[in-house]
Amino acid sequence: MSQPKIARIDQSKLRESAYDALHEAFTRGAFAPGETVSLRTLADQLGTSMTPVREAVRRLVAEGALVDTPSRTLEVPPFDADRMRELKSARLALEALLLEEAMDRIDKDVINGLEKIISAPRSETGTPDLKQNYDFHFTLYRQSRSRVILPLVEALWLQYGAFLNLVVREQAAGEIPEHIHHEEIIAALRDNDRKSAQRSLALDIERSFKLLLPES
């Protein structure tokens, strides 16, 4: 199995850089549910010693992205349908709040920036670009200036990242227009149509869950 792609880090800021690089990798689905993670492998990929990686991993365990098993093996939490349903409910509720707050502050330049994010060329693999998806949502959510809800949503995305790893492997993931709901959100932002923006956001969140939980 090929190793997950993780960006090498700035050696002058080892602790935060190690955490940020791993956080980004987990959020964009670089690791699959149930995958075993080696501290040594992570350190080699990051180009650093074990110490900053060990500290970063402790934070990721506390945030639910990794599990420190009784055998001292680090593992990405396995697939769990009930956990997915909880993540879905939490994301629908909290991201709707961020969107509502963002619409009070967003301006034309930011909306144009959102459009630019999704207009970038599609990946050659034909699968959804998870980094592009992340950049779109969090560029929008940061307009809320939330100091409470935004960190909670970031933690939810961190936990959901492993499920995204499965989503992009589904054939249907490459058949659905990737940015259809993002485009709807942008149109609603331009019209200051809160109801349409909220509806499109909910559809966008639900679509990936439906690939793994067809009954949801």
Side-chain angles (χ1 to χ4, degrees), residues 2-6 22 24-32 35 130 161-162 164-165 169:
S2 61
Q3 294 292 340
K5 294 180 180 178
I6 308 173
L22 291 175
E24 190 271 339
F26 275 92
T27 298
R28 63 174 165 77
F31 297 89
E35 186 173 342
L130 298 180
L164 281 176
N165 184 285
R169 299 182 192 183

Side-chain angles (χ1 to χ4, degrees), residues 114-203:
L114 292 171
E115 198 161 48
K116 185 176 180 180
I117 289 171
I118 66 170
S119 66
R122 187 182 176 94
S123 65
E124 293 182 2
T125 63
T127 58
D129 186 326
L130 298 180
K131 184 178 186 307
Q132 194 179 59
N133 182 60
Y134 178 90
D135 289 345
F136 176 87
H137 281 273
F138 281 89
T139 296
L140 173 58
Y141 297 157
R142 289 185 189 110
Q143 302 309 304
S144 70
R145 302 178 191 170
S146 171
R147 293 180 293 176
V148 175
I149 301 173
L150 184 59
L152 296 176
V153 170
E154 288 175 334
L156 293 174
W157 276 61
L158 181 64
Q159 293 182 53
Y160 185 56
F163 296 122
L164 281 176
N165 184 285
L166 299 182
V167 167
V168 297
R169 299 182 192 183
E170 295 287 324
Q171 182 177 350
E175 297 172 351
I176 303 170
E178 186 172 353
H179 295 301
I180 184 170
H181 299 309
H182 295 162
E183 292 166 353
E184 292 168 353
I185 291 169
I186 289 172
L189 292 173
R190 293 196 188 283
D191 293 338
N192 194 30
D193 184 342
R194 293 172 185 263
K195 184 176 180 180
S196 293
Q198 292 286 3
R199 180 174 62 248
S200 296
L201 176 63
L203 290 171

